Every structure is written in C-alpha cells, then in structure tokens.
Amino acid sequence: DAGVIQSPRHEVTEMGQEVTLRCKPISGHNSLFWYRQTMMRGLELLIYFNNNVPIDDSGMPEDRFSAKMPNASFSTLKIQPSEPRDSAVYFCASSYIGPYNEQFFGPGTRLTVL
Amino acid sequence: AQKVTQAQTEISVVEKEDVTLDCVYETRDTTYYLFWYKQPPSGELVFLIRRNSFDEQNEISGRYSWNFQKSTSSFNFTITASQVVDSAVYFCALSTGGNNRKLIWGLGTSLAVNP
C-alpha cells in the first residue's frame, strides 16, 4: 500500500511568492495533519482535519497560511505571501480515527524561501 | 497540562554498545497512548511503537525494547548492540486519544552510533 504522498519534495521560491504544498493521505485514513519542522522550533503541528473538517488550526502561524481538504484523498497547505522565515520542512501525516491514533508521515517538503 | 520530556538532547555511542533513550510524560488523563518515532538522516519520520496506558507490559522487537512504567511516568527505549544504521533522532509522543487527535511531542534525542 502506498504511504502518505507529498509534493513537491523540494521547493525553492522567492519572498512574496505563493507556495502550495500537497498531500495525499493513506487510503482509509480519516485524520490528516500538517506539521512544520525547523531546527529552532522542532516539530510543530499547524492544523489537523477529521473527516475533511478542520478541527484545530491553532498552530497556523498567521493569516498567510491556509489549509484545505476538499476530499478524503487530498489536502493542500498554502502560504501567501511566503517569507524567508517560512523556510522549513513541512510534513503531512495521516491516521485512522479509532482507539489508537498513530500517525504515518509523508516524506516531507523542504521549502526554501529566498 | 500534557507534556513530554526527552532530557537527553544528544547521545553518542560506539557500535555494539547498548543505549537507552529516556522519555518522561505528564498527563492527568487515565487513558492515554505513548509513541516512539525515528527520524533518520534522510528526514522521514517513521513510526516505531504505540503503547496504551492500560498495558504496562514491556515490548521487545529485535534489538529494540521499550520499558513503560506508569509509576515513574516513563516510556524508555533501549537499543541493544547498536549499529550505525540506528543513528537518527528519536521522538517520544503522547496522546490522550478519543476525539483529540493531537500528539504531544518531545524535542527528540539525537543518537549517533559511531563505528
């Protein structure tokens, strides 16, 4: 079975540009998580969805960040406009809503904003 | 408040040594779940194990073993006869399950296994 799929794997952009990160969760999973990882702040949860509905977006840094999940098999994280401090690795993870909730991670998108 | 503490920031060992990674958690919930993840130099986060609060039985998987002790709120991870391929950052995490899907993460322990 395919794991969590993220695209692109690497993104280099200039400050002010719009960036869209994409994620396809594991089939059958109904929770989806977006994380950001930096050396300074470690692993931070940005937002998560249950059954395509955003449940907790308290980790979203500011209005420049937005996330959508139009269906069970696709989610996007958009940054507009991007800033150098957004440079990080962004992970998407999915899990199944059940007694246990281990999350399975995608390979991540390494974003560099110049 | 829920919290996960991994007091060891970095550990360096020589191949074939045993090494234990510490994880201490805080929660007031009686039902909760503990996890360990591995992040090798390639960057992906790999799920290793999940433990629920009602099962204090220790777990062994090959060279890996986990010691869950509710009395000390600890969920420690031991690698026996370490290998260079074990070099990674290891994260401990906590969840109270139910409708709350969030994991509370420790800051990770970076393990370097030297030949």
Side-chain angles (χ1 to χ4, degrees), chain A residues 31 33 35 37 43 45 48 50 56 58 91 95-107, chain B residues 33 35 37 39 42-47 50 52 91 95-103 105 107:
Chain A
S31 285
F33 307 80
Y35 288 89
Q37 187 177 38
L43 195 62
L45 176 66
Y48 80 92
N50 281 352
D56 186 342
S58 59
F91 287 102
S95 72
Y96 175 69
I97 297 177
Y100 315 118
N101 54 351
E102 54 263 35
Q103 298 174 15
F104 295 91
F105 284 75
Chain B
Y33 304 91
F35 306 83
Y37 284 80
Q39 187 173 37
S42 52
E44 72 272 24
L45 277 152
V46 179
F47 166 71
R50 177 241 309 137
N52 72 55
F91 293 93
S95 171
T96 52
N99 292 324
N100 184 354
R101 316 307 300 173
K102 292 171 68 170
L103 292 182
W105 294 84
L107 295 180

Side-chain angles (χ1 to χ4, degrees), chain B residues 51-69:
Chain B
R51 216 50 171 162
N52 72 55
S53 53
F54 298 111
D55 183 4
E56 285 193 74
Q57 191 171 13
N58 291 332
E59 177 122 359
I60 298 175
S61 176
R63 295 184 298 106
Y64 293 176
S65 62
W66 290 270
N67 184 341
F68 175 30
Q69 290 194 338

Side-chain angles (χ1 to χ4, degrees), chain B residues 5-45:
Chain B
T5 301
Q6 295 180 257
Q8 304 150 308
T9 305
E10 296 180 357
I11 300 176
S12 182
V13 300
V14 177
E15 209 171 13
K16 297 185 183 179
E17 282 187 35
D18 297 348
V19 57
T20 295
L21 310 182
D22 297 333
C23 173
V24 174
Y25 63 92
E26 296 176 30
T27 181
R28 293 182 178 179
D29 293 273
T30 56
T31 300
Y32 52 89
Y33 304 91
L34 297 163
F35 306 83
W36 276 95
Y37 284 80
K38 174 183 180 179
Q39 187 173 37
S42 52
E44 72 272 24
L45 277 152

Side-chain angles (χ1 to χ4, degrees), chain A residues 37-106:
Chain A
Q37 187 177 38
T38 61
M39 289 295 293
M40 292 296 296
R41 300 173 70 92
L43 195 62
E44 303 174 274
L45 176 66
L46 300 177
I47 184 171
Y48 80 92
F49 298 81
N50 281 352
N51 295 316
N52 314 335
V53 176
I55 301 301
D56 186 342
D57 65 355
S58 59
M60 295 286 261
E62 49 198 272
D63 291 345
R64 298 186 297 107
F65 285 68
S66 62
K68 294 183 179 180
M69 192 165 186
N71 57 62
S73 59
F74 183 66
S75 177
T76 60
L77 177 68
K78 185 176 295 186
I79 308 172
Q80 165 65 14
S82 58
E83 296 182 3
R85 59 191 169 124
D86 301 330
S87 297
V89 179
Y90 291 82
F91 287 102
C92 175
S94 70
S95 72
Y96 175 69
I97 297 177
Y100 315 118
N101 54 351
E102 54 263 35
Q103 298 174 15
F104 295 91
F105 284 75

